[in-house]
Amino acid sequence: MKRFNLVLGTVLIAAGAVSCKDEAKETAEHNVDHYVVFVDSVNGLDAAERAANWAAIDAEYHAREMEAEAALTTLENDEAAAKRIEESKTKYDGVKMQAENDAKAKMEANASSGTPLADKFFGPGNVVGNDMTFSWVNKDNILDVYTKFYETFDAEKDEYSRQDLDKVKAWYEALDARKNTVEKEGLSSEDNGKIANIKLKFAPKFRWERLTAKGEENQDAKDKAN
């Protein structure tokens, strides 16, 4: 009887091990399925919906990707499962690239011609961009760019907030950096001299506006505190 019980116990343990192994394999297969279905669902979203929820989508993707890759160990590197995972990775990389390109295009549009203040200083369609490289400014148009910049500032300087003046300062410094490049590309001495005169007129006016804007900002803060 004792020997029978030992044999029976061994059989039950073996059966339990097989059962656990089958359950682990089933879970692994489900994880691969969930990964593939998730990527397909992301691919099926329209561009606007993807863009609005991209951070959450990407975080969820990486969690499911880790589960799917871990599942391959349990599935003993099942070739069919591995192929499905690789195909989904390729599909997701394509969607991710498109989402990132859309986000970049939107950011550049918002930073340039879609910004009323930038439009006033540089004209609609002339891209400022977050990097402010002013690649569209060259030896033939840089004097016109400086002239429009100064005339716009001079006409509306009393209307600018401290935040507006911070933007103006950043644009002006970036434009000056572009001028250094344009000079090497053949900027005429006549145009260079006219730009120098514009800079001489702009500098003191801008310093004054920054100083008075700061004073007004401090006074507003005191008034609110009282």
Side-chain angles (χ1 to χ4, degrees):
M1 178 65 71
K2 185 175 181 181
R3 180 176 176 77
F4 176 77
N5 287 339
L6 287 174
V7 172
L8 180 60
T10 302
V11 171
L12 290 173
I13 290 171
V18 171
S19 177
C20 289
K21 186 175 181 180
D22 288 344
E23 185 177 341
K25 185 177 180 180
E26 185 177 346
T27 299
E29 289 173 346
H30 282 321
N31 286 343
V32 173
D33 288 340
H34 291 162
Y35 171 71
V36 172
V37 169
F38 177 78
V39 172
D40 286 342
S41 67
V42 172
N43 193 52
L45 295 174
D46 62 61
E49 191 172 359
R50 272 202 305 265
N53 300 283
W54 185 251
I57 289 172
D58 200 44
E60 180 71 12
Y61 168 79
H62 287 297
R64 291 182 182 273
E65 181 188 33
M66 289 177 62
E67 290 179 349
E69 289 180 341
L72 286 180
T73 303
T74 303
L75 297 173
E76 299 176 351
N77 295 318
D78 183 300
E79 290 185 7
K83 183 179 179 181
R84 294 177 69 203
I85 290 172
E86 285 305 312
E87 288 175 347
S88 290
K89 281 185 178 181
T90 300
K91 186 182 294 184
Y92 184 81
D93 286 343
V95 173
K96 182 177 182 179
M97 182 179 295
Q98 183 61 51
E100 290 176 346
N101 287 340
D102 290 345
K104 182 179 179 181
K106 183 177 180 181
M107 183 171 60
E108 289 179 348
N110 288 340
S112 56
S113 58
T115 305
L117 191 61
D119 284 351
K120 286 184 178 181
F121 274 88
F122 303 104
N126 291 324
V127 177
V128 176
N130 285 343
D131 56 4
M132 293 187 290
T133 56
F134 289 100
S135 58
W136 51 273
V137 176
N138 54 53
K139 64 183 179 62
D140 298 318
N141 66 12
I142 191 168
L143 175 58
D144 291 337
V145 174
Y146 267 98
T147 300
K148 181 174 178 56
F149 186 95
Y150 172 74
E151 289 177 351
T152 300
F153 175 80
D154 192 45
E156 302 182 359
K157 59 183 181 296
D158 295 333
E159 301 175 16
Y160 298 141
S161 67
R162 177 74 182 279
Q163 289 74 21
D164 290 337
L165 291 171
D166 287 343
K167 291 179 183 178
V168 171
K169 181 175 184 290
W171 291 335
Y172 182 72
E173 291 174 349
L175 185 58
D176 276 351
R178 178 61 181 170
K179 176 179 172 291
N180 293 335
T181 299
V182 170
E183 283 183 36
K184 301 172 186 176
E185 297 175 348
L187 177 64
S188 70
S189 57
E190 182 181 357
D191 284 356
N192 205 353
K194 290 178 180 179
I195 290 172
N197 287 332
I198 290 172
K199 290 167 65 68
L200 284 173
K201 291 187 293 183
F202 173 79
K205 289 183 179 181
F206 182 79
R207 280 197 298 269
W208 174 254
E209 293 304 322
R210 284 270 289 181
L211 181 64
T212 55
K214 185 175 181 180
E216 290 172 0
E217 191 177 75
N218 291 338
Q219 186 59 49
D220 288 342
K222 289 180 181 178
D223 292 342
K224 289 179 181 179
N226 295 330

